[in-house]
Amino acid sequence: MVATSSVPYTFFVGHKVSKVAWIQDDKTQSGSTLPLIVSGSADQIDGNKITLWRPTGVGHGHMHDTQEDFPDLVNLAEWSPPDSVTDLKRFQAAPGDSIKIMSSCLSGEMSLLEATVREQSYKWKELSRWRLHQDACISVDVNTGSHEAVSIGEDGILNVIDVGSGTSKAKRRIVTGEGAPLRAVRYLQPNIVATLST
C-alpha cells in the first residue's frame, strides 16, 4: 500500500510480500523526486524475489472514480534471493547515489544489492553475500554515513559487518548469553544498536 496526500493505494503484485522499503530515486529533470519501492517475497513455490517498483499516477490528492484512474505499479527489476526475505534496508540514501539495498533471508544469508540503470532500464547486481547465521537472519540495519551494517538471527547472534572490506566474515560477533532468538535490530547512534529478543 502507498499513501500520498492522505490517499492510500493498494496494488496487487501477484505474490506474498514479506517486506517493503520506500526509497526516493534521483531527481527528474523537472526537479521532482520519483518514488521507488523495493519489496521482498516469502513462501513462494516458484521462488522468492526482491523487486524494484515505481508507482505511476500517485499523488493526485483526490479519490479516483473509475478503475482507469487508479495508479499502476511498474516492475523495474527483479532478483532471486536464496530464501524468503526477512528484511530490506536502503544502504545509501544520499541524493545521486546508486540504489543499494541490504537484504536478509530465512536461510541465514544477507546480500548487498545494487540497482543500476542501463539503457533506461534497471538491473539488480549482487555486490556481496554473507552467511553468518546458523538459523534464519531475521533483521538487518545499516549505519548511515559508514560502511557498517548489523544483522541478528534466531541463533541469538549479532554480527557487525564492514560492507566495504570485501570479506565474508563479521567484523564483530556478539552471542547473547541465553542464546535467545533475536527479532529486531536498529542503530540508535553510529556506535549503539538496540535489539529485541523473545
Side-chain angles (χ1 to χ4, degrees), residues 4 7 48 70 101 107 132 142 145 165 178 181:
T4 61
V7 178
N48 292 295
F70 277 89
I101 298 290
S107 62
L132 300 173
V142 297
S165 70
E178 306 83 31

Side-chain angles (χ1 to χ4, degrees), residues 67-145:
Q67 183 66 30
E68 292 78 30
D69 289 337
F70 277 89
D72 195 10
L73 201 58
V74 178
N75 182 335
L76 300 175
E78 288 183 351
W79 181 77
S80 299
D83 205 338
S84 293
V85 177
T86 57
D87 210 356
L88 295 168
K89 293 291 183 304
R90 172 113 191 234
F91 197 79
Q92 293 175 320
D97 286 348
S98 61
I99 300 167
K100 291 183 181 172
I101 298 290
M102 181 70 80
S103 69
S104 62
C105 63
L106 284 179
S107 62
E109 292 175 295
M110 298 153 296
S111 294
L112 178 63
L113 305 174
E114 180 179 38
T116 57
V117 181
R118 288 198 181 126
E119 298 174 9
Q120 298 184 338
S121 65
Y122 283 90
K123 182 173 178 127
W124 283 118
K125 177 182 176 185
E126 186 178 43
L127 301 177
S128 299
R129 184 182 288 194
W130 299 266
R131 177 78 162 91
L132 300 173
H133 294 278
Q134 298 170 7
D135 296 319
C137 179
I138 298 299
S139 183
V140 294
D141 201 17
V142 297
N143 190 349
T144 55

Side-chain angles (χ1 to χ4, degrees), residues 58-73:
V58 174
H60 300 297
H62 59 82
M63 293 300 289
H64 301 283
D65 297 326
T66 67
Q67 183 66 30
E68 292 78 30
D69 289 337
F70 277 89
D72 195 10
L73 201 58

